[in-house]
Each structure stands twice: as structure tokens, then as C-alpha cells.
């Protein structure tokens, strides 16, 4: 009888452990999808600068890989691809003064601190400097 009781308790305990859902969005690469407000962008260059986002600034990651960015008076479109949950390649399309499209080289940003409410994107340390983008929902 004690053995049956012990098995019943262990089965119940295992059921509870496996049925609990872990809400760790950092393990889900699709959690980057959606519209994020720019909290601030820090530029590490010859002179370090932090620019706070305004209410209309955003990064919008669509599920099809399209990206749109509004950063103060500048608007950009581009594409992104996720490399697991730790990094993302971003290619930006801009229009130059002659109305011609300009494509930037893909930049690989490291994704860190990804939660349902915030994420940090960090560029590699290029010779021209490094950029850290703080996004929030």
C-alpha cells in the first residue's frame, strides 16, 4: 500500500513539473517579431553619444523578414534574418539624395536581454564605432 501511495505521489509530482510552462521568451526567436519603440541608442565612437528615442521612433520586425525603422526624422526599410536567438543580420535600404536606393552591408547585431518587454541589439565594434539599440514595448 505504501508503494502504491509513493508511486501516486511521484507521478503527481512529475506531472506538475512537466506541465509547468516556462515563459522564457529569450529561447523563442520569434518573440522579436512586432513593433518595438526605441528607448535609446548609444553610439561608441570618437565621442560617445546617447540619443533617447521619441514617441514616434520604432523598429518593426515583420514575420516575413521585412524590417522598417523610424529614427527621429529618418525612415529606413530593410530585411532581417535570425541566426538562432543570439544574433540577427540586418540589411538596410535607404534612398540617397538622387532617389536611388542604397543598400548597406549586412550588420550582425547580437541580441541580448530579450524579454516580452525589452531587447538590446549590439553591433560589432567596427573601426567607425559601435552602436547599441535599446528597444521596448
Amino acid at each position: 500500500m505504501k508503494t502504491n501511495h509513493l508511486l501516486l505521489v511521484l507521478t503527481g509530482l512529475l506531472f506538475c513539473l512537466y506541465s509547468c510552462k516556462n515563459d522564457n521568451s529569450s529561447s523563442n526567436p520569434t518573440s522579436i517579431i512586432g513593433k518595438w519603440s526605441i528607448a535609446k541608442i548609444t553610439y561608441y565612437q570618437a565621442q560617445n553619444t546617447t540619443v533617447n528615442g521619441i514617441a514616434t521612433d520604432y523598429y518593426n520586425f515583420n514575420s516575413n523578414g521585412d524590417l522598417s525603422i523610424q529614427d527621429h526624422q529618418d525612415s529606413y526599410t530593410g530585411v532581417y534574418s535570425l541566426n538562432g536567438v543570439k544574433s540577427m543580420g540586418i540589411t538596410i535600404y535607404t534612398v540617397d539624395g538622387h532617389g536611388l536606393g542604397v543598400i548597406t552591408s549586412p550588420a550582425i547585431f547580437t541580441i541580448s536581454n530579450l524579454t516580452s518587454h525589452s531587447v538590446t541589439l549590439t553591433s560589432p565594434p567596427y573601426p567607425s564605432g559601435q552602436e547599441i539599440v535599446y528597444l521596448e514595448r
Side-chain angles (χ1 to χ4, degrees), residues 37-42 44 113 119-121 132-136:
S37 299
I38 299 174
K40 67 180 178 179
I41 301 175
T42 302
Y44 294 102
N113 306 319
V119 65
T120 304
L121 306 177
I132 302 176
V133 181
Y134 300 90
L135 302 173
E136 58 189 23

Side-chain angles (χ1 to χ4, degrees), residues 77-94:
T77 59
V79 294
Y80 74 95
S81 60
L82 294 170
N83 305 320
V85 296
K86 301 276 186 194
S87 62
M88 137 183 343
I90 298 177
T91 302
I92 303 295
Y93 302 98
T94 60

Side-chain angles (χ1 to χ4, degrees), residues 35-83:
K35 192 170 186 177
W36 297 81
S37 299
I38 299 174
K40 67 180 178 179
I41 301 175
T42 302
Y43 303 95
Y44 294 102
Q45 298 169 331
Q47 182 179 13
N48 296 342
T49 306
T50 297
V51 178
N52 291 321
I54 58 176
T56 56
D57 291 349
Y58 64 85
Y59 274 53
N60 191 14
F61 298 96
N62 291 312
S63 59
N64 64 358
D66 289 339
L67 171 64
S68 56
I69 301 171
Q70 178 68 44
D71 185 2
H72 287 71
Q73 71 275 9
D74 298 320
S75 295
Y76 308 101
T77 59
V79 294
Y80 74 95
S81 60
L82 294 170
N83 305 320

